[in-house]
Amino acid sequence: MASTSAEIIAFLLTISGWVLVSSTLPTDYWKVSTIDGTVITTATFWANLWKTCVTDSTGVSNCKDFPSMLALDGYIQACRGLMISAVCLGFFGAVFGLVGMKCTKVGGSDQTKAKIACLAGLIFILSGLCSMTSCSLYANRITSEFFDPAFVAQKYELGAALFIGWAGASLCIIGGIIFCFSVVENSNSPRRGYAYNGATSVMSSRTKVHNTVPDKTPPKHFDKNAYV
């Protein structure tokens, strides 16, 4: 029962993390222009993995998609690949996790379902690591440019999408670890053994009982008047 509850908790954590990671991919605010050292802010620059935009003081946004994938910086291409891999791995992890849970009717025996659940946990851990690496790589580029005194172009700060991605990756990793422990709990569970003594007939069992149980009835004594 405890193992089933742990699997349900792990499934909810991993699905929540996968939804957060999936929502991070198209989110706009991966980085936002900083207002540090500026007196009057007339426009806000922000960007994600697919486009860069500017919003003026009236709230009107003008966006420009990246013209060429091959002309992009290497870290943006790496972040794209890692995030897409995290979303795909999370989908397959959800399918294997649903099959490997003990509360479902598919997947075979308990030992087979435990192995499938462990595989789902490994996939979710890999998905979380991909998302964590992507967000950390993007954040490292932002912070390195921000603290570089020789960088004179527009500086940016960490956007909300990075924190959402980190949260989703953490949930995927935690839920995947709980899934992996299900195979350990299943292997440590006690197994009942049944001994087969062979088939015995009813007459032989009655004879065995009659021979093993002594007859404790007192002997009967009849006098001469009993035959009259």
Side-chain angles (χ1 to χ4, degrees), residues 49-52 64-73 80:
L49 298 178
W50 314 100
K51 59 186 176 180
T52 178
K64 178 183 178 182
D65 294 333
F66 294 128
S68 174
M69 184 183 67
L70 299 178
L72 288 176
D73 293 333
R80 282 183 178 182

Side-chain angles (χ1 to χ4, degrees):
M1 186 65 182
S3 178
T4 304
S5 303
E7 287 179 351
I8 294 175
I9 294 174
F11 186 75
L12 294 177
L13 288 175
T14 51
I15 290 298
S16 301
W18 178 59
V19 170
L20 290 177
V21 171
S22 301
S23 64
T24 304
L25 188 58
T27 303
D28 293 331
Y29 297 99
W30 277 65
K31 62 180 180 180
V32 184
S33 60
T34 180
I35 58 175
D36 182 48
T38 59
V39 179
I40 299 175
T41 304
T42 59
T44 302
F45 297 89
W46 50 273
N48 59 6
L49 298 178
W50 314 100
K51 59 186 176 180
T52 178
C53 301
V54 57
T55 304
D56 57 16
S57 57
T58 61
V60 179
S61 298
N62 295 319
C63 296
K64 178 183 178 182
D65 294 333
F66 294 128
S68 174
M69 184 183 67
L70 299 178
L72 288 176
D73 293 333
Y75 78 98
I76 295 181
Q77 297 182 13
C79 291
R80 282 183 178 182
L82 288 171
M83 291 302 297
I84 294 174
S85 300
V87 174
C88 295
L89 288 172
F91 173 77
F92 290 109
V95 173
F96 283 114
L98 191 63
V99 173
M101 295 176 65
K102 293 182 179 180
C103 58
T104 57
K105 301 298 184 181
V106 293
S109 61
D110 290 342
Q111 290 80 7
T112 304
K113 292 173 74 68
K115 293 178 181 179
I116 297 175
C118 183
L119 177 61
L122 294 176
I123 294 176
F124 273 118
I125 291 174
L126 187 58
S127 174
L129 290 177
C130 289
S131 177
M132 186 78 70
T133 305
S134 175
C135 295
S136 300
L137 181 63
Y138 200 91
N140 179 67
R141 182 60 177 261
I142 296 174
T143 54
S144 62
E145 292 179 351
F146 185 86
F147 293 107
D148 187 7
F151 187 76
V152 296
Q154 176 65 50
K155 295 185 177 182
Y156 293 89
E157 293 183 355
L158 304 180
L162 296 177
F163 298 98
I164 297 175
W166 281 325
S170 301
L171 291 178
C172 287
I173 293 174
I174 294 173
I177 292 174
I178 298 176
F179 263 130
C180 290
F181 277 110
S182 62
V183 68
V184 179
E185 294 179 359
N186 187 72
S187 61
N188 293 333
S189 59
R191 298 180 180 178
R192 295 181 178 179
Y194 297 93
Y196 179 72
N197 296 326
T200 56
S201 61
V202 178
M203 294 300 296
S204 61
S205 60
R206 288 181 179 179
T207 305
K208 185 184 297 184
V209 172
H210 179 73
N211 294 332
T212 54
V213 179
D215 189 7
K216 297 182 179 180
T217 56
K220 296 181 179 180
H221 301 278
F222 300 97
D223 54 0
K224 65 177 64 177
N225 296 326
Y227 298 96
V228 179

